[in-house]
Amino acid sequence: MRKFNIRKVLDGLTAGSSSASQQQQPQQHPSGNREPEIQETLQSEHFQLCKTVRHGFPYQPSALAFDPVQKILAVGTQTGALRLFGRPGVECYCQHDSGAAVIQLQFLINEGALVSALADDTLHLWNLRQKRPAILHSLKFCRERVTFCHLPFQSKWLYVGTERGNIHIVNVESFTLSGYVIMWNKAIELSSKSHPGPVVHISDNPMDEGKLLIGFESGTVVLWDLKSKKADYRYTYDEAIHSVAWHHEGKQFICSHSDGTLTIWNVRSPAKPVQTITPHGKQLKDGKKPEPCKPILKVEFRTTRSGEPFIILSGGLSYDTVGRRPCLTVMHGKSTAVLEMDYSIVDFLTLCETPYPNDFQEPYAVVVLLEKDLVLIDLAQNGYPIFENPYPLSIHESPVTCCEYFADCPVDLIPALYSVGARQKRQGYSKKEWPINGGNWGLGAQSYPEIIITGHADGSVKFWDASAITLQVLYKLKTAKVFEKSRNKDDRPNTDIVDEDPYAIQIISWCPESRMLCIAGVSAHVIIYRFSKQEVITEVIPMLEVRLLYEINDVETPEGEQAPPLPTPVGGANPQPIPPQSHPSTSSSSSDGLRDNVPCLKVKNSPLKQSPGYQTELVIQLVWVGGEPPQQITSLAVNSSYGLVVFGNCNGIAMVDYLQKAVLLNLGTVELYGSNDPYRREPRSPRKSRQPSGAGLCDISEGSVIPEDRCKSPTSGSSSPHNSDDEQKMNNFIEKAKMSRKLSLPTDLKPDLDVKDNSFSRSRSSSVTSIDKESREAISALHFCETFTRKADSAPSPCLWVGTTLGTVLVIALNLPPGGEQRLLQPVIVSPSGTILRLKGAILRMAFLDTTGCLLPPAYEAWREHNVPEEKDEKEKLKKRRPVSVSPSSSQEISENQYAVICSEKQAKVISLPTQNCAYKQNITETSFVLRGDIVTLSNSICLACFCANGHIMTFSLPSLRPLLDVYYLPLTNMRIARTFCFTNNGQALYLVSPTEIQRLTYSQETCENLQEMLGELFTPVETPEAPNRGFFKGLFGGGAQSLDREELFGESSSGKASRSLAQHIPGPGGIEGVKGAASGVVGELARARLALDERGQKLGDLEERTAAMLSSADSFSKHAHEMMLKYKDKKWYQF
């Protein structure tokens, strides 16, 4: 896991993704309106980016290994990832830099090390004695392809089989090749005329380490004597071999073959197998061979002291079992159990009591690695039940379609969710403890509660406890159960707007304090849920249907324009689709056969039993309009204090009072502007005598404003507060905005583009062209708050801020009736305020700060149990229903101002309220666009965190928008990342890194520093069990296990050096931590380091002595030379 150094970002100068033309300074305002200085505490030093943990099932697994002493499980994947699992809560993720598939893993049992073999013919030695495992050595084979590895228990010599059929031997201490090689032609000699194929198995005889059993793919097996360097026996069978396993006494072995047979061989009888079994073959009469079956991909042979041995195998089913699920077969004595699996089997291992191969194995469990799951089977109980899996591997049970992350939640939330979730657990698991229990937990320095919510393609919503870098599922909600399910495809209503997954979750809006939950689904449906600890039976599911229309040029139903298409609330008493008289649909639309006034899904009309947990409060569905399907919802917000939910799409916006079950607002986006619309839009369809399309204020009777007035600015004369630079470049901006929408479509209709991961993209054809949709203005952000709605306001009041994909922010004023009984009787009055603000790019997020720069959360009503018998006085109870604003704004002086923080795809602005002056502005990116922006708390302060499509993660101070962090993290490689990336408080963030895994990261310097303590330890010092006792007679008569001095056989002195061109040694990038970890003793690393230091010291000493000797000899030479010169100085040349 690599850490990122922060590029310290100077004010006014950021890297590639930030624009050069940033305006951080407060803009000039007339004197008297000068913004007060707010002390900001966050600096660049508070930020650092690093990955923390990865949760979920390893994506595309390919290899499996287990350390029976340390009780650690390792899984390798096709993308070169390595996942290590110990006790629940102890997990680790590592990655091979090459990204090549892991083909095999071998633990150095109880040594705290692991060897991985990759598809690119490299071997790597991992040090597991440190919290972040690192590679100590690598070896790259240059001329041969690696196919199989075997490391005997307590040996430092690793056997490596290749595609050519040769076997090389690697010293795992130095990661160098021995000169000892077993060549394929020597191994098979004349037993076969052709090449025997790649090596598919290597193992030493459990009772004699000097005998090596080599299995070749073609069906040949050779027992090789390592000392005499020749084959003792050769066993041939005319079916290809997939795997081989020994009986622990070393007298028999079993092979699995491609025709679904098992052959059992006596070591000393190579002529033919002792027994041939076809576990799933139909036994034919007349002694004929059974019909061939599918290949048996793996077999294991495990013995017990007190009973029959276990033969466990995967595959081997007969060919006529079409459509049958993959199976694991357990043969024990005369009984054969066939265990069906949900996914295809990648690998399996038997967990045994002893690490010694020459002892009774006493198998107690089988771990089965499936394509999308990890299953552990209890072999000791009748019926072979499975263990309850404690790891968070079910994230992908149904594909994840959206994700939200909440750090620092109310402390009572996790226990409340856990208590309702505990009732959902399945029965019938093994009663034993989970046997993979190695490692130790880290010391959690973070104590605040964290919750992750995932929305899924089948309409389920899962709540996860994510506190202290762990993950555990708390509760699962099935949103689809309020709808009628179609039995088969023909029975399906033709109103679906997606071909499959009609219940898929697109947006989640959750208020942790009030526990109100609201989801928007792909079939243009919204469901509001309340949390309750009591079970209730809902006789009739409350339901509303909303007709949200966008007027376009082609008039499809001219007669239909005569009557206002008003959505009518369906009260609790009438769950059926709305009868024609309450929905004035026209005669022409029905005669033309156009679908009209029908929702995409049908709500159940039978009583619904609702278990404790989240219970349906109201179902809202958008309906078809004149043959046009409803557009998917692009934004959603719920507020428990006001009792309102609001949602929008590319047609417009609708607001619903979920307490009164009434639609309050239903406007096309265009109509939100009223007379202040800054855009030159195409002329809309001619209005005959009708209200604005969809301006249904449906049954708001008393004191409501007529729709036309409502769209005009109540503060007539006050122009909308555009910034001057924007006004000058209006035409320019519209073009850019369209371009920006093309670039940034993912942010609004995120799932529409994700063809690979789920089925959102396959919408049915509609009469609206894609170009028309492109030019529409969708609602992209919604935020309830208590603030100043207009410039002239002297006090804050409840309102809704609406952001659109064209960069406009509009404010809607909310006039709430008094609390208590009146709230349920009087209507909420909703009116556009006329306030319009504009930014570049689609609006993503909005938040509000008080005058001191502290975050103002939206008002909420604290959670209380609704389904309780009404014992107390009704009035007392209703008093509690009074909306409580927790924001300090309610107690603010009139003179105090607020700040609105608005983040779009291109820029961020801080607007001073009520003056609506732009106090600060920051152009986040010119060339890319922001995918996710969140206003979060960190170190008792707040900042804006952004993730850009070009892979940059940036943070800005608030309110001044100073750049604090800008790091290139990861490119947007697929829509899954765009759809699931989210930031939360305390420097936490996450995204779905693969369809099955969540990657968590931190942008907090403090968390990065504490991470080492928080991570669990994989390696714990454990004594290796004692070797099995040979027994008196075996010792006397020479039975029992024969040992082998491998050092003498494979060392350089006897076998010489291996060819240099065969493999290349690469030192590992262990880093400082790697050196520290290595020092703790992986296979004598420390001793070697000491020796190396001693040798270096001796060499340095020798060098010093030699240097001194050379100096003295040079001295004496100069003396001699001087004497010679003096001696012959006065002599003539002829005197010499």
Side-chain angles (χ1 to χ4, degrees):
M1 191 176 301
R2 50 175 202 201
K3 288 194 176 181
F4 297 87
N5 288 328
I6 295 176
R7 198 165 350 134
K8 296 283 189 281
V9 186
L10 300 172
D11 285 355
L13 178 74
T14 56
S17 60
S18 298
S19 93
S21 60
Q22 291 156 343
Q23 294 161 273
Q24 286 129 239
Q25 299 77 22
Q27 297 183 345
Q28 292 305 307
H29 302 301
S31 57
N33 275 355
R34 202 167 56 78
E35 303 302 332
E37 280 297 313
I38 291 173
Q39 190 65 41
E40 292 178 0
T41 54
L42 285 179
Q43 302 298 330
S44 291
E45 297 79 62
H46 292 106
F47 293 88
Q48 185 180 342
L49 197 65
C50 73
K51 292 178 182 177
T52 52
V53 282
R54 185 174 287 202
H55 303 296
F57 182 77
Y59 184 54
Q60 294 178 326
S62 56
L64 184 66
F66 182 68
D67 185 326
V69 181
Q70 284 289 320
K71 302 280 175 73
I72 296 285
L73 186 77
V75 176
T77 75
Q78 290 177 29
T79 53
L82 196 57
R83 289 286 292 281
L84 297 143
F85 298 93
R87 65 181 60 208
V90 177
E91 282 183 46
C92 181
Y93 157 75
C94 321
Q95 177 68 47
H96 292 92
D97 289 340
S98 67
V102 179
I103 55 171
Q104 209 180 339
L105 295 170
Q106 289 265 308
F107 274 102
L108 278 67
I109 293 171
N110 206 25
E111 289 277 11
L114 174 77
V115 173
S116 58
L118 269 58
D120 63 356
D121 311 307
T122 54
L123 302 176
H124 303 274
L125 178 67
W126 289 86
N127 175 17
L128 308 182
R129 293 188 177 222
Q130 56 196 65
K131 289 191 173 185
R132 292 267 174 91
I135 291 174
L136 290 170
H137 299 285
S138 299
L139 192 67
K140 166 82 174 159
F141 280 79
C142 305
R143 296 192 314 216
E144 296 211 48
R145 309 291 321 261
V146 174
T147 55
F148 193 88
C149 299
H150 170 63
L151 181 68
F153 178 47
Q154 293 181 323
S155 163
K156 68 172 187 179
W157 298 95
L158 174 76
Y159 301 109
V160 181
T162 69
E163 201 172 48
R164 287 187 187 174
N166 303 324
I167 292 176
H168 301 278
I169 298 164
V170 175
N171 181 334
V172 289
E173 284 186 2
S174 60
F175 242 56
T176 52
L177 274 178
S178 160
Y180 192 114
V181 182
I182 303 171
M183 303 301 284
W184 69 270
N185 51 353
K186 281 278 183 72
I188 66 159
E189 280 189 351
L190 301 173
S191 63
S192 166
K193 291 177 182 174
S194 58
H195 189 278
V199 174
V200 293
H201 179 82
I202 308 168
S203 58
D204 43 348
N205 185 320
M207 286 296 179
D208 188 352
E209 294 174 349
K211 306 283 194 233
L212 201 64
L213 195 70
I214 306 161
F216 295 97
E217 192 180 63
S218 64
T220 302
V221 178
V222 174
L223 188 69
W224 181 265
D225 187 315
L226 288 164
K227 285 181 184 169
S228 64
K229 300 186 182 179
K230 62 181 177 47
D232 281 358
Y233 300 103
R234 297 184 182 88
Y235 316 83
T236 52
Y237 192 73
D238 50 9
E239 289 293 338
I241 288 178
H242 283 276
S243 74
V244 184
W246 279 101
H247 186 282
H248 85 274
E249 289 176 348
K251 293 174 184 172
Q252 283 190 333
F253 62 89
I254 188 167
C255 300
S256 75
H257 299 277
S258 57
D259 64 345
T261 57
L262 297 172
T263 51
I264 298 175
W265 301 77
N266 272 346
V267 170
R268 296 173 185 272
S269 311
K272 64 172 187 164
V274 182
Q275 195 181 357
T276 303
I277 312 164
T278 312
H280 296 284
K282 289 177 182 167
Q283 296 298 328
L284 302 174
K285 293 173 184 175
D286 311 328
K288 289 181 182 173
K289 276 180 75 177
E291 289 179 3
C293 295
K294 293 175 185 173
I296 295 175
L297 300 174
K298 185 172 182 179
V299 64
E300 292 210 342
F301 201 176
R302 300 297 184 194
T303 52
T304 58
R305 272 177 218 282
S306 57
E308 299 278 346
F310 282 89
I311 295 176
I312 301 165
L313 55 118
S314 64
L317 294 178
S318 63
Y319 280 103
D320 59 2
T321 52
V322 178
R324 189 164 176 189
R325 295 194 294 181
C327 293
L328 186 84
T329 307
V330 181
M331 298 167 72
H332 186 223
K334 290 181 179 175
S335 75
T336 299
V338 180
L339 309 175
E340 287 198 338
M341 301 290 155
D342 289 339
Y343 307 100
S344 55
I345 297 171
V346 174
D347 198 358
F348 73 89
L349 289 172
T350 315
L351 307 190
C352 301
E353 295 290 352
T354 176
Y356 293 93
N358 58 356
D359 194 7
F360 286 98
Q361 272 100 34
E362 305 294 349
Y364 58 88
V366 183
V367 57
V368 189
L369 179 64
L370 306 175
E371 208 173 36
K372 293 184 179 177
D373 202 1
L374 183 75
V375 176
L376 207 62
I377 297 159
D378 186 349
L379 287 180
Q381 279 187 44
N382 287 339
Y384 305 131
I386 64 168
F387 288 87
E388 185 176 5
N389 196 322
Y391 304 133
L393 302 182
S394 63
I395 290 169
H396 64 289
E397 191 177 13
S398 168
V400 176
T401 51
C402 66
C403 216
E404 292 296 335
Y405 190 6
F406 300 85
D408 221 0
C409 301
V411 288
D412 57 347
L413 252 181
I414 288 174
L417 287 164
Y418 181 80
S419 68
V420 294
R423 306 177 197 204
Q424 300 177 327
K425 291 201 172 168
R426 277 175 50 198
Q427 301 301 311
Y429 289 113
S430 166
K431 298 189 171 51
K432 291 186 184 168
E433 289 284 305
W434 182 255
I436 302 163
N437 55 12
N440 282 321
W441 291 306
L443 303 167
Q446 292 173 345
S447 55
Y448 51 85
E450 296 173 73
I451 290 177
I452 293 169
I453 306 179
T454 51
H456 300 264
D458 65 353
S460 59
V461 176
K462 285 185 185 173
F463 290 77
W464 304 82
D465 175 4
S467 312
I469 69 170
T470 60
L471 194 70
Q472 184 185 5
V473 72
L474 291 169
Y475 170 70
K476 178 179 172 181
L477 167 68
K478 293 178 179 173
T479 67
K481 68 180 182 183
V482 299
F483 299 110
E484 297 279 6
K485 291 242 176 37
S486 49
R487 304 261 156 69
N488 53 44
K489 289 208 171 175
D490 306 332
D491 183 33
R492 223 182 201 172
N494 53 1
T495 49
D496 289 4
I497 52 173
V498 285
D499 289 348
E500 52 192 66
D501 300 331
Y503 312 109
I505 309 290
Q506 269 186 297
I507 309 171
I508 295 167
S509 177
W510 188 52
C511 174
E513 289 79 14
S514 67
R515 304 186 190 171
M516 288 300 294
L517 172 72
C518 194
I519 64 100
V522 74
S523 296
H525 62 280
V526 171
I527 310 177
I528 301 150
Y529 290 93
R530 258 187 216 284
F531 186 83
S532 172
K533 293 182 177 178
Q534 309 291 321
E535 183 177 289
V536 293
I537 292 176
T538 307
E539 291 299 324
V540 171
I541 300 163
M543 183 180 85
L544 282 176
E545 290 179 358
V546 177
R547 190 177 168 96
L548 201 53
L549 187 62
Y550 177 80
E551 288 185 293
I552 47 179
N553 295 333
D554 51 330
V555 184
E556 290 180 356
T557 55
E559 296 94 338
E561 311 247 345
Q562 307 292 332
L566 303 179
T568 305
V570 178
N574 181 12
Q576 278 83 16
I578 296 165
Q581 61 269 25
S582 65
H583 262 290
S585 60
T586 61
S587 56
S588 78
S589 61
S590 53
S591 64
D592 291 351
L594 292 174
R595 217 167 283 136
D596 200 47
N597 281 331
V598 275
C600 301
L601 303 171
K602 190 182 176 201
V603 174
K604 278 183 183 169
N605 52 15
S606 53
L608 180 70
K609 179 182 166 186
Q610 305 212 64
S611 307
Y614 275 102
Q615 297 172 350
T616 309
E617 173 84 358
L618 178 64
V619 179
I620 307 163
Q621 293 196 83
L622 294 182
V623 295
W624 286 66
V625 178
E628 178 65 35
Q631 296 300 315
Q632 289 177 0
I633 289 159
T634 54
S635 57
L636 175 72
V638 65
N639 187 288
S640 57
S641 177
Y642 306 155
L644 302 177
V645 66
V646 62
F647 54 94
N649 62 12
C650 62
N651 282 344
I653 185 171
M655 191 188 296
V656 170
D657 178 343
Y658 64 76
L659 299 175
Q660 293 187 26
K661 313 285 187 280
V663 180
L664 301 175
L665 182 74
N666 181 358
L667 287 177
T669 320
V670 179
E671 284 142 349
L672 275 175
Y673 288 92
S675 56
N676 293 325
D677 190 355
Y679 301 110
R680 295 176 184 168
R681 300 178 199 264
E682 291 295 307
R684 297 192 295 277
S685 51
R687 295 181 184 228
K688 302 193 178 164
S689 54
R690 63 171 297 219
Q691 290 184 332
S693 129
L697 308 173
C698 103
D699 301 348
I700 294 188
S701 39
E702 313 99 271
S704 60
V705 198
I706 61 162
E708 280 83 352
D709 287 351
R710 175 177 284 206
C711 293
K712 286 180 188 163
S713 162
T715 55
S716 54
S718 72
S719 64
S720 52
H722 301 308
N723 293 308
S724 54
D725 60 331
D726 289 337
E727 277 178 334
Q728 288 164 9
K729 298 171 186 168
M730 177 63 68
N731 298 341
N732 232 352
F733 171 73
I734 295 168
E735 289 308 309
K736 275 189 184 170
K738 284 183 182 170
M739 278 306 295
S740 144
R741 283 294 307 112
K742 279 173 189 156
L743 260 179
S744 60
L745 199 59
T747 57
D748 314 309
L749 306 171
K750 286 171 186 170
D752 277 5
L753 299 176
D754 199 12
V755 183
K756 222 186 286 179
D757 282 356
N758 47 54
S759 57
F760 285 149
S761 57
R762 297 182 289 283
S763 297
R764 298 262 166 86
S765 60
S766 75
S767 60
V768 183
T769 63
S770 56
I771 299 164
D772 178 69
K773 281 185 195 168
E774 192 65 56
S775 62
R776 292 191 197 182
E777 185 173 12
I779 307 295
S780 57
L782 295 161
H783 190 86
F784 283 106
C785 56
E786 206 158 302
T787 187
F788 303 93
T789 51
R790 305 175 182 89
K791 284 186 180 179
D793 283 359
S794 57
S797 59
C799 55
L800 170 72
W801 286 50
V802 180
T804 76
T805 50
L806 292 185
T808 306
V809 176
L810 302 132
V811 184
I812 295 173
L814 309 174
N815 192 345
L816 297 162
E821 216 171 308
Q822 295 299 307
R823 173 65 186 85
L824 301 175
L825 299 174
Q826 292 184 24
V828 177
I829 295 170
V830 183
S831 54
S833 66
T835 296
I836 297 180
L837 307 163
R838 285 203 10 265
L839 280 79
K840 263 196 250 175
I843 306 296
L844 298 180
R845 191 77 59 207
M846 296 175 277
F848 292 84
L849 315 180
D850 66 12
T851 190
T852 62
C854 294
L855 195 62
L856 291 174
Y860 63 83
E861 181 194 66
W863 178 81
R864 64 186 181 83
E865 180 59 71
H866 262 70
N867 302 325
V868 287
E870 296 173 9
E871 296 164 6
K872 296 185 180 177
D873 185 26
E874 187 68 20
K875 285 183 184 174
E876 280 298 310
K877 189 178 166 192
L878 283 168
K879 271 184 190 172
K880 291 183 185 174
R881 273 227 52 80
R882 189 174 182 82
V884 182
S885 169
V886 293
S887 59
S889 61
S890 51
S891 60
Q892 278 182 344
E893 296 289 317
I894 289 171
S895 61
E896 287 191 346
N897 62 348
Q898 291 183 5
Y899 295 98
V901 181
I902 306 168
C903 174
S904 81
E905 292 176 328
K906 293 288 186 182
Q907 61 181 193
K909 281 185 182 179
V910 174
I911 311 287
S912 180
L913 299 175
T915 60
Q916 296 179 10
N917 291 323
C918 180
Y920 302 95
K921 177 176 154 188
Q922 174 71 265
N923 290 326
I924 299 169
T925 173
E926 289 289 348
T927 54
S928 184
F929 56 93
V930 178
L931 284 163
R932 178 82 184 207
D934 285 295
I935 290 98
V936 291
T937 60
L938 177 70
S939 307
N940 298 319
S941 192
I942 51 168
C943 64
L944 168 65
C946 297
F947 172 54
C948 263
N950 61 9
H952 283 252
I953 287 178
M954 293 177 267
T955 61
F956 301 92
S957 71
L958 287 174
S960 70
L961 294 173
R962 276 183 303 115
L964 296 170
L965 171 77
D966 182 354
V967 170
Y968 176 73
Y969 175 67
L970 86 163
L972 179 64
T973 48
N974 58 35
M975 282 310 306
R976 191 191 327 107
I977 297 170
R979 203 180 58 240
T980 56
F981 200 105
C982 47
F983 297 96
T984 187
N985 299 330
N986 300 334
Q988 307 288 344
L990 66 79
Y991 61 96
L992 221 69
V993 67
S994 76
T996 62
E997 297 164 291
I998 286 175
Q999 176 67 57
R1000 286 164 72 178
L1001 54 144
T1002 183
Y1003 48 96
S1004 154
Q1005 171 71 33
E1006 187 186 356
T1007 308
C1008 285
E1009 286 173 0
N1010 295 334
L1011 186 59
Q1012 195 64 17
E1013 282 178 31
M1014 292 164 66
L1015 292 170
E1017 284 180 284
L1018 286 165
F1019 180 80
T1020 47
V1022 180
E1023 275 195 27
T1024 303
E1026 278 187 29
N1029 193 350
R1030 290 175 67 185
F1032 175 73
F1033 288 105
K1034 280 189 177 177
L1036 194 64
F1037 298 113
Q1042 303 289 314
S1043 61
L1044 170 77
D1045 188 349
R1046 295 189 180 96
E1047 187 69 48
E1048 186 188 325
L1049 209 56
F1050 305 143
E1052 207 174 293
S1053 54
S1054 58
S1055 65
K1057 284 187 176 181
S1059 162
R1060 283 196 171 182
S1061 62
L1062 189 60
Q1064 176 193 355
H1065 176 258
I1066 306 159
I1072 295 296
E1073 194 188 356
V1075 172
K1076 281 183 192 163
S1080 65
V1082 176
V1083 286
E1085 199 81 23
L1086 178 62
R1088 287 204 305 282
R1090 277 216 189 100
L1091 281 172
L1093 277 173
D1094 287 350
E1095 281 173 22
R1096 189 164 172 250
Q1098 283 172 3
K1099 284 174 186 169
L1100 280 172
D1102 290 351
L1103 186 66
E1104 209 173 323
E1105 285 167 17
R1106 265 184 265 152
T1107 310
M1110 280 174 74
L1111 271 173
S1112 65
S1113 67
D1115 234 351
S1116 64
F1117 178 79
S1118 73
K1119 277 180 189 168
H1120 281 300
H1122 190 65
E1123 283 166 14
M1124 290 282 284
M1125 186 267 292
L1126 291 173
K1127 188 177 176 184
Y1128 296 109
K1129 184 181 171 188
D1130 299 319
K1131 290 190 177 180
K1132 303 281 188 254
W1133 63 271
Y1134 50 83
Q1135 292 175 317
F1136 286 114

